[in-house]
Structure formats: structure tokens, C-alpha cells
Amino acid sequence: MSKSHFLIVIGLLVSLMACTNGSHTNKVTQWKSYSGDPDIEHKVDSVLRLMTLDEKIGQMNQYSGNFAATGEVNDNKSGEYLKKGMIGSTFNTFGADHIRMLQEQNLKYSRLKIPILFAADVIHGLETTFPIPLAEACSWDLDLMEKSARIAAEEATASGIAWNFAPMVDIARDPRWGRVMEGAGEDVYYGSLVARARVRGFQGINSYKDFAKPNTLMACTKHFVAYGAAQAGRDYHSVDISNRTLYETYLPPFKATVDEGVASFMTAFNDLNGVPCTGNKYIFTDILRDAWGFGGMVVTDYTAITEMIDHGYAANLKQAAKLSIDAGIDMDMISEGFVTYLKELVKEGKVSEKQIDVAVARILEMKFLLGLFDDPYRYCNAERQKEVVMHPDHLKAAREGAQRSIVLLKNDNNILPLKKDIVKRVALIGPFVEERESLNGEWAIKGDRNKSVTLMEGLREKYANSAVKFTYAQGTTLPAIDNATRHISETQIPDKSGFANAVGLAKKSDIILVAMGEKFHWSGEAACRTDITLPGNQRELLKELKKTGKPIVLVLFNGRPLDLSWESENVDVIVEAWYPGTMSGLAVADVLAGDYNPSAKLVLTFPRNVGQIPIFYNTKNTGRPFDENSPKDYKSSYIDSPNSPLFPFGYGLSYTTFEYSNPTISSVEMARGGNVIVSADVTNTGEVAGEEVVQLYIHDKVGSVTRPVKELKGFKKIHLEKGETKTVEFTIDEDLLSMYDIDMNWLAESGDFEVWIATSSSDESNHLEFTLLD
């Protein structure tokens, strides 16, 4: 069907219903819409009136987009439902021309010509791949994160995608969990701000009226909820937490995206306090819909409805489908529970058609808002795809994003930066010197791993015709994951045959630059680890290199905090590069050379060992708090390890130094409805310009419930020239002091508060106090 023919058909249908109905209030069903626009609601209602029950249920059915390959419908389950007009959405198919063909097939079979909504997991870029979200969050640069999401949206929407399964906003405090790489770390305040920035970037709208722009990528907040608290850091595992912990820690970033106008939510795989999230009416109806007023649509995660059977919460798929729709779920990803059993459940009186109408109304509204009823091919622009995908401006932004995400963890004797004009023989050693495949990290959905710039390539370009000369020995390889078992392959364990060559090369060099880490599939979904040290025999190689007595610079490529307890004691420099994306080698070389002064700071605590996990900065005190200056006897401590982390939240070094001084507060008393202003002077006391993330922490000393020892409540990233001083101010009001009291009321309790203006969560200097009056 041609575009003009399609528009005529839909236009006639909607106009007909408008004439015959004549009212915006006499709806087929009442539902709280996302837009709140009576005209949009009426259009949705007009289409609903024309739909059969089968067609409605079909809109709630989502498949992977494999129902057609060459323009002919495949002989498979998705092809079967396509011929009945019973596919509402597909995911992870790409390319403007290919998606145009799939949409044409859909319109050929859809009686009412209802367009399919094409979705994808565009987590940190489409083809231009940015650093993994965890790394990008370490930039503490909300504008940068919004910009990278906007670039991802530009590329995705030009390639046919209108709906994105991101951002992931799960608070995560267990580095064993592979999916920490997808989020913004451990802090609720910061994670909520990052969540909002990413929604703004993906959707690129000021109001629902902007949705019809051809570069609007509908965002999807995931995974609702508390997935980051999976027991033992094992993916898909159970979560059993108090309602207080749910509200204080895990819900706020999700609420922040609702406030930002996110259009959709995705269910979590885990059960929450005994109820699988996909069938959990409390979180989806009572909280998300009723308390928060969310009017968008909700999709399950992959096969999540089916999985309620294995959870032991549903006896079969039919019961699981009923539990899901009763909970408020609108679309079924892959499980086929809705499309197989909803009609039967309606006939049996166990599910009402009104429930189905509400779910379908939410889905249709999004298709109207995205402009797909006006033009089902609006996201299929092959010319725009050629123009925007991997555009030079996008690559430039990816390089900048990678620079700003790299954390300098250690730099003894100021070995870095490695100046181009100082004669140095540098031995490049390790499996990541020439590694290319892993640099994009997991969820690099369409990022061509063959186009990512290796560390070797970046260094060769950076130091061409300089006084620095490189030699190379790989030294060892990385262990592999068996794709069938998802365990470490016993047939590909690294050996030590390359050690001798690497050590020999190191002895002839002035500096040893070692590039190590995890293969990209060692972190991400279903990539959980009980041992978070460097995989394989990489540490053993480092021990041999240490014997040479030469300075060692360790550059890490990984997707989670690692146990670097030995490395931090024995190597001179540690650079946490994470997975930096398409422009990896160039960005890392920029940092190593000092052309970019590192400014990133950690958003997830690095433990000393797995025995400390879960470990995070804003823990609560005990009745016997440990003081390192007093005896350990019968205090809350370990007998074999300090309580403190290896590297704390908010920590990161620079090639310059910063001094904090002159902490001041506008008043030591704060009246209700008022505020206090705190400030400190920050001076660049080093030799080069740099950026510093100035952090504000607050402690409520006494509450009706116990409070964390400190909580991040503000930050500012400032640039300082050599010798420059800036006064950094923060305004503290009741909102920053609010908490859930003993009765779960959100309010600020009167009493005494401590404040720190700090360089990291472990910085106890620049301390102030004030009292909130009754």
C-alpha cells in the first residue's frame, strides 16, 4: 500500500468515528493517557471501536523482527501472527530499507492498517558507540550524557527505530552482577539525575506534542524494580527487601523518569518479596499508575511472562498471562502468553475486554504520538541514515565522552602524563593492547567492533614522530566464555608461554604500559562473577613484570569494579578506561599523553575483595561503629580486612591537584521553608589546568529512623586554570533534607545536620553543621 493510500484509509476511519461519535467523552474505555490530549484520546478510541478482539490482542504481542527476510512472510510463528494482523511491535531489526519492507508486509495484512512499532536496545549508541553507561556516569557530566543519548536517537530513528529499551536506571551495589555496566552506579541522588538526562536525550522533547518529530526515540525505563538488588549478585535472582529500602533506594530513579516524561516502562525479571515483578500489581498499578500517575505503556522483558512459571508463581502460561494483565502490563515480549490465552480468558470471564482495551489504548496512543498513523515510514529514511550514522560530529562526541569517562585511580611519582618530548622506551604488554572486539563493551547493538580504535592504534597516532618509542609483546591471552554453557571455557585457559618474551621486552624499556581487563562478554546480562580479579593469568603476568623493577602503568578495560587489591599495592599507575566505545584507543591515548587531563570520578565503589560485597558509601552506622583510631575489639569490623573500600564512591585523580579551604555556612540555624548556603574555596594547586567534581554530602545525625552516615545531595564540575581559585556554593533546603520518617511520610525532620564539601565520599574535611528548627 502506498503512503497516500494508507493515509486516506486511516483518515477516513478516524473521521468517520469522529462524525458518528461526536463526543470526546463517550469512550469505548476510560484510561489515564500519557498525553492527556482529548483529540489524541479520541483518535485512539475511534480505532479501538473498529478493532476485533483478536486485533486488539495482537497489538499487545511483540516479537523479534524475523517474520520476513526478503519481502515474503516467513513460515514461522511470527509470520503466522503477521498474516492475522496480530503483531503490535517488533525489536532489534535495523536499517531504514529493511524496516520499510517489514512495515509494508504488516500493512499488507493488517485489516485496519495499524503500523508496527519498531524497537531496539540502543543502550549506549547505535553504530557510533559511546562508553558503557557505567563509564559515562563517571564523567559526572549530565549534559554529555544527554548529548550521547541524543546522538544515539538521531542514528536509531534514521535507521527505522522509534522505541528504545533504555535507560536502565537500576541502583546497583554489587559488582559481581554483570549488569552494573548498564547503569549509573550506587547512588540514588546521582542515579536519578542521570536517568532524567538520558530520557531527555533519547526522547528529545519538551512535551508530548514534540513526539511526532522524526528523530524522537521513545525511551523505556528499566527494569521495574529492584533488579539491581539480586541476591548474591546473580542475574535474574530473587530480591527480598523492606518497603523502606524499596522507597528509599530503588524507586527514586524510576520516579525521576516519570517526572521527566518517559513514555514507557519495562518489567524486571526478578521476583520482589515473593512476587515476580511482571505479575506484581503493587508496583505497576498501586505505585506506577495510581501513586505516580504514569500514563505510558509497559512492556515485559524478554519471556518474563513465561518465567513466572519457573518462579513458581504461575502454574502455566495461561495463568501467567492473567497475572500479568491484572498487574497492569500492556505488551508481552516474546512469551506469547497474551496472544495465545487472552481471548480464551475473556470468554471465561477471567479477564475483561475493558482490561484489554486499556492496554491497547496505551499502545495506540504511542503510535499516534510518534506520527506512525500519519506516516508509518517516517522513521525509514535511508538518505538520513546515510547522512547521520557515524557522522564525524558523532565520532568527535564519542571521543570526548570516552575521555571524560576515564578514571585515574593511581599515579605515583606523576609518571603520567607520558610527555611526547621526553625520551622514553615504552613496552606495550597485555591482551588489550591490540584487542578490538571488546572495546565497545556489551549492548553495543549495531556498533561495528571492527571499526573500534585499538589502544595500539591510538598510541601510534598520538606519539608518531615523538621521543616516545614503543615495543610490543602480548604476554598472555584472555580466557573465553563458552557460548553454550555461559561458563569459562576449559579448553581456552591462557598459558604462560608469552611471559618470557614480555618480561624480556620490559627489561629493555623505561616504562611498562600494561593493558588488561575482561573480554566484553564477561560483563553484561548473564555475566556474573564470584571472582572479580583480573581474569586468567593476567595478575601472574603483572607479578613477573613487577620483578623487573620498572615502573608499571596499568590500563584497564572492563565493565565492572574489579578487585585490584594486589595491583593497587604493586603497580605505579592505574587507569580505569572501562569499555570506551568506538573511539577507545584515541581517547585513552589523549589521557595518557595529557592532551586531556582526566576528570572522571567513580560512581560505584571498588571493594578490596568479594567478602566486602555489597559495599557502598552511604551505609548506616551500627551500635558499635568501628573507629580505625581505637581498638577493634567487639566493633563492627572484619578481622582480616579493613572496612574501607579500595577506591570509594566519588574518587578520581587528576594530573593537577586541588585544595579545598574556607568552608562557610550562611547560618547555623535553618527555619522551616528557608535554606542555608554552604560554600568552600577550591584552588588548583598543581601545574596544569584541570576539572574537579566538587561534591556535597549531608548527614542527618538523629532521625525517627536511622540515617546513612552521609548522602550525596549535590555536585558541581568546575574548570580551574593553574593557580585559580573558585568559590563553590550549594543551597540546602528542606527538600534536600527530606526522608521517609517512621510512618513512611516524606518530610524533613528537625534536628542537627552535618555537611561536607568534598572531593570524594571518603573526604572528611571541610565539615560544617547546622540545625533545622521545628
Side-chain angles (χ1 to χ4, degrees), residues 463-513:
Y463 289 93
N465 304 315
S466 78
V468 178
K469 303 302 176 185
F470 297 106
T471 53
Y472 167 63
Q474 181 172 316
T476 188
T477 58
L478 294 165
I481 299 289
D482 188 305
N483 289 331
T485 65
R486 293 295 299 167
H487 286 83
I488 300 172
S489 173
E490 296 182 0
T491 62
Q492 298 185 47
I493 301 298
D495 61 33
K496 299 181 180 180
S497 59
F499 279 26
N501 185 33
V503 171
L505 199 66
K507 289 179 178 179
K508 300 174 185 177
S509 302
D510 301 309
I511 292 177
I512 311 168
L513 197 159

Side-chain angles (χ1 to χ4, degrees), residues 594-653:
D595 291 341
Y596 180 80
N597 187 352
S599 63
K601 299 205 175 195
L602 297 178
V603 295
L604 197 58
T605 299
F606 275 51
R608 296 179 184 274
N609 51 65
V610 293
Q612 289 185 313
I613 296 171
I615 183 170
F616 46 94
Y617 85 91
N618 55 342
T619 185
K620 293 185 177 182
N621 231 328
T622 73
R624 295 188 176 188
F626 171 68
D627 182 350
E628 62 183 14
N629 297 314
S630 66
K632 283 189 175 182
D633 289 349
Y634 302 100
K635 300 291 186 179
S636 181
S637 62
Y638 300 105
I639 62 172
D640 59 351
S641 172
N643 286 5
S644 61
L646 187 62
F647 298 113
F649 175 89
Y651 172 84
L653 301 177

Side-chain angles (χ1 to χ4, degrees), residues 131-315:
I132 58 171
L134 177 63
E136 204 175 48
C138 291
S139 71
W140 294 67
D141 189 331
L142 300 175
D143 291 339
L144 182 147
M145 286 178 266
E146 181 177 343
K147 181 178 180 180
S148 72
R150 183 88 298 265
I151 289 172
E154 293 283 354
E155 293 194 4
T157 55
S159 304
I161 304 302
W163 184 16
N164 186 21
F165 297 145
M168 188 196 97
V169 305
D170 299 308
I171 296 298
R173 295 171 169 177
D174 191 332
R176 294 173 298 180
W177 190 46
R179 300 196 80 163
V180 297
M181 56 78 57
E182 290 180 62
E186 70 188 52
D187 185 68
V188 177
Y189 172 86
Y190 183 65
S192 298
L193 294 176
V194 172
R196 294 188 73 142
R198 287 179 169 153
V199 169
R200 285 196 303 272
F202 288 135
Q203 296 191 161
I205 62 169
N206 293 315
S207 76
Y208 73 90
K209 294 180 180 178
D210 295 330
F211 252 99
K213 297 185 300 185
N215 62 354
T216 295
L217 185 63
M218 187 171 79
C220 182
T221 304
K222 66 182 188 184
H223 309 83
F224 202 56
V225 61
Y227 190 24
Q231 290 177 13
R234 200 172 79 226
D235 219 348
Y236 319 119
H237 204 357
S238 295
V239 174
D240 193 349
I241 57 178
S242 69
N243 212 41
R244 174 170 298 280
T245 298
L246 178 66
Y247 271 85
E248 288 181 343
T249 303
Y250 294 99
L251 286 176
F254 291 91
K255 177 59 163 59
T257 65
V258 173
D259 295 339
E260 194 59 47
V262 74
S264 65
F265 263 58
M266 180 182 287
T267 70
F269 285 118
N270 56 282
D271 69 293
L272 176 62
N273 301 335
V275 180
C277 289
T278 305
N280 196 315
K281 188 175 182 179
Y282 173 63
I283 60 174
F284 281 105
T285 298
D286 297 351
I287 296 176
L288 182 62
R289 299 290 186 192
D290 295 345
W292 295 355
F294 178 67
M297 60 184 286
V298 174
V299 64
T300 75
D301 208 337
Y302 197 102
T303 68
I305 292 180
T306 302
E307 291 171 26
M308 284 197 285
I309 302 170
D310 285 322
H311 274 293
Y313 190 66

Side-chain angles (χ1 to χ4, degrees), residues 712-725:
L712 181 74
K713 291 296 182 179
F715 67 92
K716 292 183 180 179
K717 191 166 189 177
I718 60 172
H719 178 91
L720 292 172
E721 295 295 326
K722 172 185 174 182
E724 183 181 8
T725 298

